[in-house]
Amino acid sequence: MKGMLDFYITQFKIELSSHFQYRFALLIRIIVLVIEPVIYLVVWTTVAEAHGGIVGGYTRGEFAAYYIAWMLVRQMTVSLGPSDVEDLIRSGELSAMLLRPVNPFHIFLASGPSAKVFTFLWLMPILAILVIVFRPTLSPALWEIATFAAALVMAYILRFVLLWAMQMAAFWITRASALTGMYFAAEFLLSGRLLPISMLPLWAQQIGNVLPFRWSFGFPLDVLLGRLTPLEVGLGFLIQVAWLLVGAFLIKVLWRAGLRRYSAVGG
Amino acid sequence: MPESAIRVQSLRKIYNVPVREEGLKAAFRGLVHRQLREVKAVDGITFEIAPGEVVGFLGPNGAGKTTTLKVLAGLLHPTSGEAQVLDYIPWRRHKDYLRQMTLVMGQRGQLQWDIPAFESFELCRAIYQIPLSDYRRTRDEFVELLELKDLVQKPVRNLSLGERMKCDMVAALLHRPQILFLDEPTIGLDVTMQKRIRTFIAEYNRRYGATVLLTSHYMADVVALCKRVIVIHQGRILYDGSLAGLVGRFSAFKTIEFTLENAAVDLSAYGEVLSRDDGHITLRVPKSETSRVTARLLTDLVIDDLTIEDPPIEDVIERVFAQEKIE
């Protein structure tokens, strides 16, 4: 356990120093990240104004709060690309990783957060400007901020675990990234990324509550905006844990079977 | 310490490779019915290597060397047969086994491109959970042996191929593995750099008593490092024994070199003239004829500086591979 912690910290530090080389690339990524929610924000505030100030239970200021916090959540939960495992297999890099006594899962999970340190630093001034321009309605209590932080960390881990589990398909199919593409498409609609989940039709909300997407994106947002009762918050955490267990189980089974196949056909 | 560090028994690895004829029609047919062809990469090999031994694993491309190394490093499941390395079954990939071995594959390294090698070494420390004092001592020792002091602080992408491979070698050995699988560790390097890596491997073997199984196309590597060689061809072992024995067994010829006062003499009656350079002659003769031809040369002609030698090891190896099966 101590050894693993040391590994996580070292991997984090090393990735951090490698990101120093890509400061500019990260800035570009931030700009791309900001453009998407700003478009939603402009659209919905305009619609809200045209409808006498409220749409789907959101005022103009609440929309602003939603999409500004959105940027933070999106940035903090982004993890694997669509084809990370596939690329590892295709490039033969997986073989190099398998020689070492640490599962590549940990290497990827540990290196993710380091980029976030940089993007967070870039993001802060941008968020400050957006707050001045769009004047969000947001006054979370201290416990809501703390709960939000916990839900956010869980969302990051959950999304990572599910994407990793899904990418295990690369052991069997050559273009497994198509699967991840489907995941991203469903996530776009059902996670709260395109619009707040409460604005979806009831049936879509119900589907969304069962599937993992909301719990790895929209849930922390709803916590921060104070849209959930304490009971709903508790339930949300339970669902996050449940999906995490499902993902972990899938990874355990698929990784073992995948490796068997990988080592049978030759890396 | 087990009696043998590496034990391989009737090891086979067969790949099923899809075959497809050319053209769109064949592509469609392949959708429904995939034809597979069996390729025997390793076809029932058996050998043992003692702890601390350095063995050269020789064979032409596609002979099965890399496949064997990958099986022994735990990257491949064999089709059948057994293998034990330090009493572990490699493909079970036990963490304790992985901590005691390394596989270096030529130009495919473990170093991260954007950061100095020094920092990648630090990651190795964390991955292999090397105690800090051991880590520092080993790292400094290797850095000195390979003269890397000024290089390890530069981002890896700014290093030359040779410099990078030296750093890679350090990264692969920081955890001081007992078993080294080296697949073309000097490929693409200039002669000086090859020599440096070679000396380093020899020194590592001497200091830590590690067992080394090495493939290389550079015979100089093999001659410098290995007393014993295993020759593999088309997945089967052709020869397993001393390097000197390989030459004795597979070379049917010897070369006689001498200087001749009268350079114009016709020598075709004595043997095949390999080179004729300003009176300096190299003659190839069948091994059994060597003494007779030498005696005749000395009687018939006025000769200086006569030496008899085995042909270069490269020629012997080439000859071994040229014959499909010997004996």
Side-chain angles (χ1 to χ4, degrees):
Chain A
M1 194 60 206
K2 195 171 151 243
M4 218 44 202
L5 188 66
D6 174 38
F7 163 74
Y8 264 80
I9 293 169
T10 314
Q11 176 81 40
F12 173 80
K13 280 199 285 198
I14 281 169
E15 282 293 322
L16 197 61
S17 81
S18 113
H19 284 306
F20 269 108
Q21 317 266 342
Y22 294 109
R23 287 172 303 241
F24 193 68
L26 285 176
L27 178 63
I28 301 284
R29 227 164 81 185
I30 285 286
I31 292 170
V32 172
L33 169 93
V34 169
I35 290 172
E36 186 186 334
V38 165
I39 293 171
Y40 301 149
L41 184 51
V42 170
V43 169
W44 286 112
T45 45
T46 313
V47 173
E49 270 166 17
H51 285 76
I54 281 197
V55 177
Y58 280 78
T59 63
R60 192 183 176 284
E62 282 166 340
F63 271 125
Y66 187 87
Y67 285 111
I68 291 172
W70 184 108
M71 289 173 212
L72 190 63
V73 172
R74 171 87 182 134
Q75 186 46 44
M76 291 297 146
T77 52
V78 158
S79 51
L80 291 171
S83 60
D84 282 343
V85 176
E86 189 179 309
D87 294 342
L88 276 188
I89 294 176
R90 202 180 308 165
S91 66
E93 220 180 304
L94 182 64
S95 289
M97 286 186 167
L98 289 175
L99 293 171
R100 305 180 142 194
V102 168
N103 191 312
F105 169 86
H106 295 293
I107 296 174
F108 277 81
L109 183 61
S111 36
S114 58
K116 302 195 187 310
V117 172
F118 277 92
T119 41
F120 190 76
L121 291 177
W122 284 118
L123 196 58
M124 280 302 116
I126 297 175
L127 291 185
I129 294 168
L130 291 174
V131 166
I132 293 165
V133 176
F134 288 97
R135 283 166 285 117
T137 316
L138 185 67
S139 50
L142 200 60
W143 75 268
E144 280 173 323
I145 294 175
T147 325
F148 164 72
L152 191 58
V153 172
M154 282 291 285
Y156 166 69
I157 299 174
L158 175 60
R159 191 165 186 274
F160 180 89
V161 164
L162 291 175
L163 280 174
W164 187 269
M166 185 158 293
Q167 293 197 20
M168 293 294 98
F171 282 115
W172 291 272
I173 333 172
T174 17
R175 294 275 172 184
S177 46
L179 260 181
T180 335
M182 276 164 60
Y183 181 98
F184 287 155
E187 184 188 48
F188 188 68
L189 200 63
L190 294 173
S191 67
R193 179 166 160 188
L194 181 63
L195 74 181
I197 294 181
S198 56
M199 288 176 67
L200 291 173
L202 195 62
W203 62 267
Q205 283 185 44
Q206 282 163 344
I207 295 176
N209 284 338
V210 182
L211 294 174
F213 310 110
R214 178 183 176 190
W215 310 106
S216 58
F217 185 82
F219 174 58
L221 270 179
D222 289 341
V223 171
L224 185 71
L225 269 60
R227 296 203 153 245
L228 302 176
T229 64
L231 185 71
E232 285 170 324
V233 173
L235 197 64
F237 277 112
L238 279 182
I239 300 176
Q240 279 188 324
V241 171
W243 271 111
L244 205 57
L245 290 176
V246 170
F249 173 76
L250 281 175
I251 288 173
K252 203 170 170 60
V253 173
L254 293 175
W255 175 254
R256 193 172 297 170
L259 268 197
R260 258 201 95 83
R261 187 179 153 85
Y262 180 73
S263 66
V265 295
Chain B
M1 180 72 78
E3 251 175 55
S4 35
I6 302 173
R7 196 162 58 224
V8 174
Q9 180 77 46
S10 312
L11 196 76
R12 295 177 81 219
K13 176 70 192 176
I14 296 172
Y15 295 113
N16 287 312
V17 186
V19 273
R20 190 163 70 75
E21 289 158 32
E22 260 179 70
L24 202 57
K25 220 167 128 187
F28 275 112
R29 223 176 17 240
L31 272 180
V32 191
H33 182 70
R34 230 158 63 117
Q35 267 197 322
L36 296 174
R37 185 170 58 93
E38 278 194 353
V39 176
K40 288 181 191 163
V42 175
D43 194 9
I45 60 172
T46 298
F47 62 85
E48 282 191 30
I49 296 176
E53 217 181 342
V54 183
V55 176
F57 203 30
L58 309 180
N61 290 333
K65 303 180 303 268
T66 304
T67 300
T68 309
L69 292 190
K70 282 183 170 178
V71 169
L72 294 177
L75 290 178
L76 288 178
H77 259 82
T79 310
S80 66
E82 288 168 24
Q84 277 196 327
V85 187
L86 298 177
D87 287 339
Y88 291 97
I89 295 181
W91 49 92
R92 290 202 182 145
R93 302 179 21 77
H94 198 287
K95 280 202 167 61
D96 289 340
Y97 174 56
L98 299 181
R99 284 202 189 95
Q100 293 182 67
M101 70 100 192
T102 199
L103 167 65
V104 178
M105 300 214 272
Q107 301 183 1
R108 242 199 242 168
Q110 299 261 9
L111 299 174
Q112 290 198 41
W113 205 243
D114 299 312
I115 54 173
F118 226 56
E119 293 187 31
S120 281
F121 296 164
E122 179 67 19
L123 189 62
C124 293
R125 181 198 59 73
I127 285 177
Y128 287 99
Q129 295 176 21
I130 310 168
L132 205 58
S133 56
D134 286 2
Y135 161 71
R136 288 199 180 122
R137 200 172 50 238
T138 317
R139 180 195 64 192
D140 296 345
E141 183 187 326
F142 291 175
V143 164
E144 200 189 312
L145 270 173
L146 284 168
E147 293 172 24
L148 287 172
K149 207 161 189 278
D150 301 327
L151 301 175
V152 286
Q153 308 283 4
K154 286 190 200 171
V156 169
R157 67 179 136 83
N158 295 343
L159 301 179
S160 74
L161 173 69
E163 293 167 344
R164 213 164 62 226
M165 280 169 76
K166 286 201 291 186
C167 291
D168 252 320
M169 195 61 108
V170 175
L173 297 180
L174 270 176
H175 59 293
R176 291 214 299 241
Q178 274 306 296
I179 302 282
L180 273 59
F181 300 114
L182 308 176
D183 195 9
E184 304 282 356
T186 57
I187 197 161
L189 300 185
D190 65 44
V191 183
T192 331
M193 208 62 101
Q194 278 179 26
K195 207 169 161 191
R196 175 73 36 83
I197 295 235
R198 219 178 279 151
T199 319
F200 178 70
I201 296 168
E203 189 57 26
Y204 184 88
N205 163 259
R206 196 186 62 75
R207 286 192 192 182
Y208 301 110
T211 311
V212 183
L213 184 57
L214 154 134
T215 79
S216 180
H217 280 111
Y218 301 112
M219 280 311 132
D221 287 349
V222 180
V223 173
L225 290 167
C226 317
K227 286 198 184 71
R228 175 182 163 199
V229 292
I230 296 175
V231 179
I232 179 171
H233 188 33
Q234 295 183 338
R236 287 165 177 272
I237 289 181
L238 286 187
Y239 174 82
D240 181 353
S242 71
L243 189 61
L246 178 75
V247 178
R249 184 150 145 213
F250 290 114
S251 158
F253 294 91
K254 287 205 181 244
T255 53
I256 305 176
E257 285 182 39
F258 52 89
T259 315
L260 203 58
E261 264 184 17
N262 180 4
V265 177
D266 177 21
L267 294 166
S268 56
Y270 299 93
E272 187 189 343
V273 181
L274 291 183
S275 70
R276 186 169 208 151
D277 186 15
D278 203 18
H280 188 82
I281 318 275
T282 309
L283 207 60
R284 187 163 85 154
V285 295
K287 203 153 71 176
S288 54
E289 300 275 300
T290 318
S291 43
R292 204 177 57 78
V293 173
T294 312
R296 267 184 60 206
L297 281 169
L298 290 168
T299 330
D300 298 353
L301 307 162
V302 184
I303 280 173
D304 285 334
D305 296 338
L306 184 135
T307 52
I308 300 168
E309 280 177 11
D310 281 319
I313 182 84
E314 282 86 352
D315 294 358
V316 180
I317 295 285
E318 199 180 309
R319 208 183 119 74
V320 174
F321 299 152
Q323 291 173 267
E324 283 270 336
K325 196 157 187 181
I326 292 155
E327 289 168 295

